[in-house]
Amino acid sequence: MKEEKTHFFDKPENVKNFIRGFFIICILLLIADFSVPKHGDFYWEDIPQFYAAYGLVACIVLVLVSKYVLRRLVKRREDYYD
Amino acid sequence: MINAIPPAAIFIIGALLVPLFRGRMKSAFLLAVPVLGLINLISIPEGSHWATTFMGLQLTVLKIDRLSLIFGYIFHIISFITLLYALKMRNDVEYAAGMAYAGSALGVIFAGDLFTLFCFWEMMTVSSVLLIWARKTESSLAAGFRYVVVHIIGGVILLFGILMYATEKGSLDLGYIGLDGLASYLIFIGVGINCAWPLLHSWLSDAYPEATIAGAVFLSAFTTKTAVYVLARTFPGADPLIWIGALMAAFPIFYAVIENDLRKVLAYSLINQVGFMVVGIGIGTDLSINGAVAHAFNDILFKALLFMSMGAVMFRTGKINATDLGGLYKSMPLTCAFCIVGAASISAFPLFSGFVSKSMVMSASAKEGFTAVWFILLFASAGVFHHAGIKIPFFAFFSHDSGLRVKEAPFNMLLAMGITAFLCVFIGSFPGYLYGLLPYPVDYVPYTASHVMAQLQLLFFSALAFTLLMLSGIYPAEIRAVNLDADWFYRKGARAFMWFVTNPMTKVSAKVTRIVFDAIPSSLAQASKNPLSVIKIASDTVLLQFAIPEKRDEIKARIKREKEIFPGDIIKHWPIGSVILWAILFLLIYLLIYYAYNIR
């Protein structure tokens, strides 16, 4: 049987580098935010890192609520309606 | 003046001709219909065509203005793309239903009056359900029936609204209606059902994942977007829409996070995106309506792209649950790339189409001072990236390797996805072309340094949240499960109704049957053997109630004797004279009734 070609994410170091690169972009975005002139419609839009904080918190809240509240309320066996 | 050909007619006639073609001719025909349609549409001047009168009311079958035109363009474009995508399906039902569906959607868009609109509205229901039934599974059959029932109820509500509106106003013209009176609310709700408003939405998340591979692409484009168009036409600036839209944008993302069926995830994100449009219409300024329409245009493209990529995965692997997929970037790299373009577009990454339209609605809500709505929409923007932007590509193409090794999607599917991906990037990079088509003049610049930075921060830190939750193992594992939604009310409700019908109701009905068809006739038959004796027993029974105590035993004994000898001999107790007396009495009653009726 032919040995299958190794793909990019098959190598753990590639995955690690990918995640590392992603973290670096996040840090760069935090730094770059200070150099951008702000003209938001609301005053809090002009607070540095407002959007970063909101994105992070919103998604953590989203996942936690979905997992611990919604799933607990609505999850049923796959044959529930059968 | 020579009348223009209505765009709907081209598609509907096309649908009827589908079975006449074979092989390559069929492919050519399928692709030619939307192209001819678009050429025809471009050649029709703006204004009203095909005006006629029906029962004293003015009807206009074809009316073109800037608002309807942009929907007309995108409907033609997406029909072409979807038919190209579906060429390998070799299923005439799908082709014909898809074309008729597109045609009736165009009929709604270009309707100049409410009656024409309603006719095409119902045609949409009938043709679209065929795209669900064409899957030919037991669950798609059931889901299709539920879909039809919901839409027929919606259609009836809409029809009542239209009839009342026509009676009040004496006109069927399609234009601004506004929330004023029962008729307008009925129309509002009738349209809202097709728009998948919260609690009225579950037909969508229930039925779309059950549709055929190409059917889901068709479905994602037309029903909700025609409803958005009708709302923009008839209820711009209606306040309830702002909150309805905000709810629509927010709640489906929670469901999308825990859903296992990836097409169902897309169905939820479809509701979420339509939420942005509904908010835009509710705000009702030029900027927000432009934003709603532009977002509808873009959403049709990127949502179709996402449905097409998931459809291609389904076509090759036969699976669609996140638990069964993963690692497909190895064998379907192009599909994966197109999926990522669709994901970036729906997430509103700069240079992708969602960025230039979603921000218009956001900006309008900020400018009009809807602070809470703005925060909800921002939450929804982060959330949509989370579930549609990351979850869809991640679980299908990356994540754990499912071991599936399949062929790349067929060429026609790749081409359809490629064209759509190109359009997403093109509109995102050169928004001027799209802005030029919008109903109102556009004075909006999406690409400012602060806006780009804000969006990049929002998205990257949403991705950071995903990464951290994944690495820490908190992210909810995909589970094979059913997640209850508003369809529970009618799915379980229908079952409860059937139980109610089969148990208490049948018992009551059995009892009624016994009394009406059995007990009453038999006692009447018994009584008719000797009616006078019955009267005697009855009168003695009444007498017993009023008799003095000393006489009671005597009367009781008499009743007992009378019952024993029943039917017995009439003559014995009832001399002929009393029979005559009774006869005269009845004649007298008859006479009185006769006079009572005639004196008036």
Side-chain angles (χ1 to χ4, degrees), chain A residues 4 10 49 54 67 76, chain B residues 330 375 405 457 474 482:
Chain A
E4 203 194 14
D10 286 343
Q49 326 304 357
Y54 194 88
K67 184 179 178 182
R76 296 292 183 275
Chain B
K330 295 172 184 176
F375 269 104
R405 293 293 178 271
Q457 275 206 338
I474 296 172
V482 165

Side-chain angles (χ1 to χ4, degrees), chain A:
Chain A
M1 194 178 144
K2 199 178 72 178
E3 190 66 23
E4 203 194 14
K5 175 178 141 218
T6 327
H7 290 271
F8 184 77
F9 288 113
D10 286 343
K11 291 188 185 147
E13 68 265 24
N14 282 346
V15 176
K16 201 175 268 179
N17 282 336
F18 181 82
I19 294 176
R20 198 172 291 157
F22 172 72
F23 284 149
I24 291 169
I25 294 174
C26 287
I27 293 166
L28 288 178
L29 280 173
L30 290 181
I31 298 166
D33 192 44
F34 290 106
S35 64
V36 172
K38 299 291 178 69
H39 51 77
D41 291 304
F42 297 115
Y43 68 84
W44 54 79
E45 286 186 83
D46 300 344
I47 302 169
Q49 326 304 357
F50 165 75
Y51 280 95
Y54 194 88
L56 186 68
V57 172
C59 283
I60 291 177
V61 169
L62 166 67
V63 170
L64 295 183
V65 170
S66 303
K67 184 179 178 182
Y68 294 109
V69 181
L70 187 67
R71 185 169 262 183
R72 209 155 280 184
L73 285 176
V74 302
K75 200 190 83 170
R76 296 292 183 275
R77 285 158 49 103
E78 234 179 346
D79 57 0
Y80 177 72
Y81 283 121
D82 299 335

Side-chain angles (χ1 to χ4, degrees), chain B residues 123-361:
Chain B
M123 266 184 71
M124 260 171 44
T125 300
V126 174
S127 49
S128 59
V129 73
L130 295 176
L131 295 169
I132 300 164
W133 282 338
R135 180 101 173 269
K136 291 182 183 159
T137 62
E138 210 171 294
S139 59
S140 70
L141 186 68
F145 272 115
R146 291 193 293 271
Y147 173 91
V148 164
V149 168
V150 171
H151 282 286
I152 285 175
I153 292 171
V156 170
I157 295 171
L158 180 66
L159 180 62
F160 266 102
I162 290 172
L163 292 176
M164 285 173 66
Y165 183 81
T167 319
E168 281 170 23
K169 308 273 170 174
S171 154
L172 279 167
D173 287 350
L174 180 61
Y176 178 78
I177 293 175
L179 284 176
D180 173 32
L182 181 61
S184 67
Y185 275 96
L186 289 175
I187 296 174
F188 194 59
I189 291 167
V191 176
I193 288 177
N194 271 25
C195 200
W197 286 353
L199 299 178
L200 308 177
H201 71 278
S202 47
W203 58 267
L204 196 159
S205 50
D206 179 24
Y208 282 17
E210 298 292 343
T212 61
I213 287 171
V217 185
F218 272 119
L219 288 164
S220 74
F222 295 121
T223 300
T224 48
K225 305 312 179 300
T226 47
V228 165
Y229 161 82
V230 175
L231 288 176
R233 169 79 65 196
T234 52
F235 296 102
D239 287 334
L241 287 178
I242 298 171
W243 283 101
I244 291 170
L247 263 178
M248 280 175 82
F251 91 89
I253 57 181
F254 293 95
Y255 271 99
V257 168
I258 55 171
E259 182 55 54
N260 190 22
D261 180 337
L262 293 180
R263 288 204 303 173
K264 201 159 189 166
V265 173
L266 288 178
Y268 279 116
S269 82
L270 173 55
I271 301 172
N272 149 280
Q273 294 300 301
V274 174
F276 281 88
M277 301 164 212
V278 173
V279 170
I281 296 164
I283 294 171
T285 60
D286 285 6
L287 175 63
S288 74
I289 302 269
N290 270 345
V293 173
H295 203 51
F297 191 99
N298 288 337
D299 180 70
I300 288 175
L301 289 170
F302 57 62
K303 192 52 55 59
L305 181 52
L306 287 167
F307 266 109
M308 284 193 282
S309 66
M310 287 303 107
V313 166
M314 239 177 119
F315 185 70
R316 283 306 192 204
T317 67
K319 300 173 197 305
I320 196 59
N321 285 345
T323 40
D324 304 328
L325 296 171
L328 284 173
Y329 78 96
K330 295 172 184 176
S331 41
M332 302 179 84
L334 288 172
T335 308
C336 172
F338 294 139
C339 179
I340 290 173
V341 172
S345 303
I346 195 174
S347 313
F349 257 95
L351 299 182
F352 293 90
S353 61
F355 182 76
V356 301
S357 54
K358 191 190 282 180
S359 50
M360 296 171 93
V361 177

